[in-house]
Structure formats: C-alpha cells, structure tokens
Amino acid sequence: MMTNRGISVIIPCFNRESTIKQCIESVLSQDFTGDMEIIVSDDGSTDKSIELVKSLDNTKIILIEKNINN
C-alpha cells in the first residue's frame, strides 16, 4: 500500500511580479490531499515579486530571498 507523504513544489522567481501570485494560487488549488509546501526561491528581484509572495500569508509557502551570486 502506497502512503501519501507529501510534496514540495519549488518555484524559481526573478522579477515575476506579473505572474508569481497566479502561479502560487494555481499550485494551492490542486487536488492533493497530502502535505504540501511551496518553496519560492527569489534571486534578487527588484520588482514587487517578494511583496506579493509575502502578502499571500500562507503557512505552506517558504520564501528564500537570497541572490545566489551574493
């Protein structure tokens, strides 16, 4: 018997203010009954991408705000 242990969804983000909220909401609306976490990895966006992710205020979202080159 297979058990549903959960999934992690990784969303890379760089200056995606126009689409990041829709992307996260699409993942959250999936028909999945196990545990799910969404990891948004932002690579130093200079637009409002980070603010939009934070405004969703969802405990399933983990935001990483570090440019890998710095």
Side-chain angles (χ1 to χ4, degrees):
M1 182 168 131
M2 182 182 274
T3 59
N4 192 349
R5 295 185 179 181
I7 62 168
S8 297
V9 177
I10 301 171
I11 302 172
C13 178
F14 179 73
N15 290 339
R16 291 292 168 224
E17 177 181 354
S18 63
T19 59
I20 190 65
K21 185 176 178 182
Q22 181 181 357
C23 181
I24 292 170
E25 288 174 346
S26 175
V27 172
L28 290 171
S29 71
Q30 298 303 307
D31 185 20
F32 181 76
T33 57
D35 292 330
M36 174 177 40
E37 67 180 358
I38 300 170
I39 301 167
V40 178
S41 177
D42 184 79
D43 193 22
S45 290
T46 56
D47 64 359
K48 295 185 180 189
S49 298
I50 292 173
E51 288 84 1
L52 287 172
V53 173
K54 288 179 178 178
S55 75
L56 295 174
D57 194 32
N58 189 306
T59 59
K60 294 181 181 184
I61 300 172
I62 300 166
L63 176 62
I64 300 171
E65 298 180 58
K66 182 163 173 70
N67 185 306
I68 59 173
N69 294 318
N70 292 331

